[in-house]
């Protein structure tokens, strides 16, 4: 078997969007996760992973597998290291030896106290928790392969798994049920919907981009702005919401709060502007309403 793309973590929020996007572009693609995927294995088993990669012989491997739960990472640093970092050294080495493309999806969880500043790929990072630490090590291990592509991002979308709702699914559910919600006005991100992200990533791969790239919305917004625009677009009331500060929230994990990314390096190579907040909200609303029509 020889395929164009192998998606590690194909059943996750981003993995599902990548699978759909690549299939729509007529690529041969195989998805991998521990369950409900084309191939079901645990990628932390090195021997099984390498045996599987040799059998599939992909041209491009996109690694979306991660532990994204900040509290879990804090309580389980060893496991976080294995998932978020160590696996990437196995994959980066394999891809270098086979001369194929390796893509590591990283995070934006690296910057603090800069409000809506757009951080470039060279900005100094603040590794304030285990998630940030292990993802950053994952970046460094990936970049030991000079042809690897490492993407920093903030992605939003739907996972369609009621056990682990995404941020957007959690927000829509709370708005639908008119639950009380505090909208942080001091937590900033460049959130990009996973389908816009997937299309742009495919172009970067076709252009054989390598090294570190920010791929996110071209506009930085705070959570109050993001949720208010989403609610307005979907016709939900904001009566039970109030504006507050993330600094005053009771979180057991130290969090960065200025996650804005400067996407000019990616835009230059893509040769188009990445979506603004209003585009991202429109895309999320369209996916939500289309799915609602079907179900
Ligand atoms: N979500 C965000 O807000 C966000 C923001 C910025 C960056 N990112 C980054 O974007 C990437 C994708 O995030 P996501 O939210 O799409 O993740 P996700 O929904 O949690 O998906 C993770 C995927 O990995 C699979 N998986 C987990 N452990 C595995 C293992 N040991 N072996 C094989 N498969 C495994 C999961 O399926 P099974 O559990 O069935 O194995 C699932 O398909 C991550 O690298 C994350 O760090 C996410």
């Amino acid at each position: 078997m020889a395929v164009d793309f192998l998606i590690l973590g194909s059943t996750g929020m981003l993995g599902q969007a990548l699978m759909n996007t690549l299939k729509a572009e007529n690529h041969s693609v195989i998805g991998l996760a521990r369950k409900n995927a084309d191939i079901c294995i645990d990628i932390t088993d090195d021997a099984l992973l390498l045996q599987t990669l040799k059998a599939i012989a992909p041209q491009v491997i996109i690694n979306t597998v991660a532990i994204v739960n900040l509290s879990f990472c804090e309580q389980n640093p060893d496991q976080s290291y294995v998932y978020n970092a160590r696996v990437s050294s196995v994959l980066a080495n394999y891809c270098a030896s086979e001369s194929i493309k390796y893509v590591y999806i990283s995070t934006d969880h690296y910057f603090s106290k800069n409000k809506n500043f757009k951080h470039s790929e060279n900005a100094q990072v603040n590794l304030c928790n285990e998630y940030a630490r292990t993802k950053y090590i994952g970046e460094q291990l990936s970049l030991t392969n000079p042809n690897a592509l490492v993407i920093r991002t903030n992605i939003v979308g739907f996972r369609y798994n009621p056990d682990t709702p995404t941020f957007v699914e959690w927000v829509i559910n709370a708005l639908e049920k008119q639950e009380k919600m505090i909208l942080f006005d001091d937590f900033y991100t460049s959130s990009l919907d996973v389908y816009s992200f997937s299309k742009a990533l495919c172009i970067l791969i076709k252009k054989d981009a390598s090294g570190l790239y920010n791929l996110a919305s071209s506009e930085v917004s705070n959570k109050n702005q993001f949720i208010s625009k989403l609610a307005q677009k979907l016709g939900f009331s904001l009566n039970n919401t109030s504006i507050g500060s993330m600094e005053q929230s009771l979180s057991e994990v130290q969090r960065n709060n200025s996650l804005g990314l400067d996407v000019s390096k990616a835009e230059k190579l893509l040769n188009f502007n990445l979506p603004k907040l209003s585009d991202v909200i429109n895309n999320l609303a369209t996916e939500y309403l289309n799915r609602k029509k079907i179900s």
Side-chain angles (χ1 to χ4, degrees):
M1 191 185 338
V3 294
D4 298 337
F5 287 84
L6 173 65
I7 307 301
L8 306 179
S10 57
T11 58
M13 176 178 77
L14 176 58
Q16 291 179 53
L18 282 169
M19 292 292 290
N20 290 337
T21 302
L22 289 164
K23 283 179 186 169
E25 290 183 7
N26 292 319
H27 291 289
S28 55
V29 51
I30 286 189
L32 184 153
R34 285 170 299 189
K35 56 186 181 303
N36 304 326
D38 299 326
I39 292 181
C40 297
I41 66 160
D42 185 331
I43 67 163
T44 63
D45 179 336
D46 291 0
L48 185 56
L49 174 62
L50 290 172
Q51 186 191 323
T52 307
L53 296 180
K54 281 182 188 136
I56 299 171
Q59 287 306 303
V60 180
I61 298 176
I62 305 180
N63 179 15
T64 79
V65 172
I67 300 180
V68 296
N69 181 319
L70 266 57
S71 305
F72 186 90
C73 288
E74 216 55 21
Q75 286 152 19
N76 302 278
D78 294 351
Q79 205 176 334
S80 306
Y81 170 75
V82 171
Y83 280 66
N84 293 348
R86 189 185 169 282
V87 150
S88 227
S89 76
V90 177
L91 291 164
N93 277 345
Y94 174 83
C95 292
S97 68
E98 298 294 315
S99 300
I100 63 168
K101 192 83 187 164
Y102 178 52
V103 182
Y104 175 74
I105 307 300
S106 187
T107 181
D108 56 348
H109 204 92
Y110 293 135
F111 315 105
S112 205
K113 299 191 190 313
N114 260 340
K115 297 198 169 178
N116 60 352
F117 185 79
K118 293 181 177 179
H119 300 85
S120 78
E121 288 81 356
N122 300 320
Q124 192 178 342
V125 296
N126 175 35
L127 304 179
C128 69
N129 56 41
E130 287 304 322
Y131 179 66
R133 272 190 279 277
T134 53
K135 290 297 287 187
Y136 188 75
I137 299 169
E139 290 187 358
Q140 301 307 308
L141 293 173
S142 305
L143 292 170
T144 58
N145 172 341
N147 191 38
L149 175 60
V150 172
I151 300 286
R152 285 186 184 163
T153 188
N154 189 290
I155 37 174
V156 282
F158 300 83
R159 195 176 279 125
Y160 304 111
N161 177 350
D163 298 334
T164 55
T166 64
F167 168 71
V168 165
E169 287 168 332
W170 173 79
V171 166
I172 291 178
N173 186 46
L175 290 168
E176 264 175 341
K177 292 184 177 151
Q178 289 284 291
E179 287 170 357
K180 283 196 172 158
M181 192 171 19
I182 299 173
L183 313 183
F184 299 145
D185 63 357
D186 57 356
F187 180 63
Y188 297 87
T189 62
S190 312
S191 301
L192 181 62
D193 60 283
V194 281
Y195 279 92
S196 299
F197 175 92
S198 299
K199 284 177 202 152
L201 177 61
C202 291
I203 298 170
L204 290 181
I205 293 170
K206 272 176 210 150
K207 295 194 175 216
D208 201 20
S210 60
L212 181 61
Y213 276 80
N214 291 340
L215 186 60
S217 167
S218 55
E219 198 176 356
V220 183
S221 58
N222 63 42
K223 287 296 159 200
N224 175 36
Q225 293 165 325
F226 183 93
I227 294 172
S228 300
K229 281 212 168 171
L230 185 62
Q232 193 183 14
K233 181 77 195 172
L234 292 173
F236 291 125
S237 155
L238 288 166
N239 282 348
N240 279 337
T241 66
S242 56
I243 295 174
S245 164
M246 193 178 86
E247 298 230 326
Q248 285 157 12
S249 72
L250 297 170
S251 169
E252 72 279 23
V253 185
Q254 209 187 330
R255 286 165 189 261
N256 280 320
N257 60 2
S258 298
L259 311 187
L261 295 174
D262 177 350
V263 293
S264 50
K265 182 179 170 189
E267 287 184 328
K268 201 169 166 198
L269 188 57
L270 290 167
N271 209 16
F272 61 81
N273 293 331
L274 284 156
K276 290 184 174 303
L277 176 61
S278 54
D279 305 314
V280 172
I281 296 295
N282 284 343
N283 294 340
L284 291 172
T286 303
E287 183 175 348
Y288 171 73
L289 295 171
N290 282 343
R291 184 83 176 202
K292 222 176 159 188
K293 244 187 263 167
I294 297 167
S295 59

